[in-house]
Amino acid sequence: MKTEEAIVLIGGGGHCRSCIDVIEEEGKYAIAGIVVRDHAHREEVPGYEIIGTDADLPRLVKEYRNFHIAFGQIRSSHGRLSCFRVLEGLGATLPVIVSPYARVSRRARTEGGTIVMHNAVINSGVRIGRNCIINTGALVEHDATVGDCCHIAPAAVVNGGVTIGPGSFVGSNAVIREYLTIGAEVVIGMGVVVREDIPDATIVTGNPAGGRGRR
């Protein structure tokens, strides 16, 4: 395996297994192995070796160039953000990963560390920040902006012109009306229909959106 073609995945849970499938189908990188939080968090990842823990990252960055953060986020982006900052500080490269079964407009911009999973659609004029998850079957419509460290969950719909602040989560099958502004560190629950702007650090539940709480 050539080091420049290899990629190391951080996290060994269910989201990691989904990332593996996307990376294998994309065919740009050979997975060198999996890094887990510590020895108490070792899970079996079929076909791939656990090659270290978080404490080994300084050593691994000297051996491998490419890394991907392969654990998810729902209530908080802090874990992914912290890991991203550590890897950047060590000089790692975090490439954009796009499933060959996704549709990403040539007029969209997607930044480092982001993964676009199977059957997702990112349309013209969209800007996706760093270290995001655009999960299976999600739709991000024209001219929307998704900030750093966001997770757009499976089958969620972000309509045209929406702005989502960094660190936010949009649950499965949630729908955000066009041209709304969603703040930073917002959690939008599964199936929620959002019809008005949402301030920072808010948890939104109900359908249509009705329940509100502060994080």
Side-chain angles (χ1 to χ4, degrees):
M1 180 185 297
K2 295 180 180 179
T3 301
E4 66 270 20
E5 297 175 349
I7 193 165
V8 175
L9 305 188
I10 314 296
H15 181 66
C16 178
R17 291 190 283 275
S18 294
C19 291
I20 286 170
D21 189 63
V22 172
I23 291 165
E24 289 176 338
E25 292 290 338
E26 186 185 32
K28 288 185 177 180
Y29 302 99
I31 297 169
I34 313 296
V35 172
V36 295
R37 184 186 308 169
D38 53 46
H39 292 294
H41 291 82
R42 298 176 71 93
E43 294 188 40
E44 292 297 322
V45 181
Y48 293 101
E49 180 184 359
I50 305 296
I51 60 172
T53 69
D54 287 356
D56 297 308
L57 287 174
R59 170 182 61 82
L60 291 167
V61 169
K62 294 177 182 178
E63 298 178 30
Y64 302 99
R65 182 178 65 183
N66 300 302
F67 288 75
H68 180 72
I69 300 169
F71 58 89
Q73 73 182 63
I74 297 178
R75 292 186 66 87
S76 174
S77 64
H78 294 168
R80 285 179 58 86
L81 176 58
S82 176
C83 186
F84 187 82
R85 286 174 173 168
V86 167
L87 289 168
E88 278 199 320
L90 292 170
T93 297
L94 291 102
V96 175
I97 295 169
V98 179
S99 165
Y101 306 115
R103 171 69 174 88
V104 179
S105 170
R106 68 183 68 183
R107 297 175 179 85
R109 186 179 75 195
T110 306
E111 298 187 15
T114 287
I115 187 166
V116 182
M117 305 194 79
H118 298 325
N119 298 318
V121 177
I122 297 175
N123 271 329
S124 181
V126 168
R127 291 178 293 168
I128 307 289
R130 302 178 301 165
N131 193 31
C132 291
I133 303 166
I134 309 301
N135 219 319
T136 307
L139 168 62
V140 184
E141 261 297 352
H142 65 87
D143 304 308
T145 298
V146 177
D148 294 346
C149 297
C150 287
H151 180 180
I152 311 301
V157 177
V158 177
N159 273 300
V162 167
T163 297
I164 301 177
S168 290
F169 171 80
V170 181
S172 298
N173 287 301
V175 179
I176 303 175
R177 199 192 74 188
E178 65 274 9
Y179 297 104
L180 294 183
T181 297
I182 308 300
E185 299 290 337
V186 167
V187 174
I188 295 172
M190 180 176 65
V192 171
V193 177
V194 180
R195 302 180 185 274
E196 59 186 31
D197 294 345
I198 304 295
D200 293 350
T202 301
I203 298 172
V204 185
T205 59
N207 191 2
R212 298 284 184 92
R214 301 296 292 174
R215 298 191 62 173

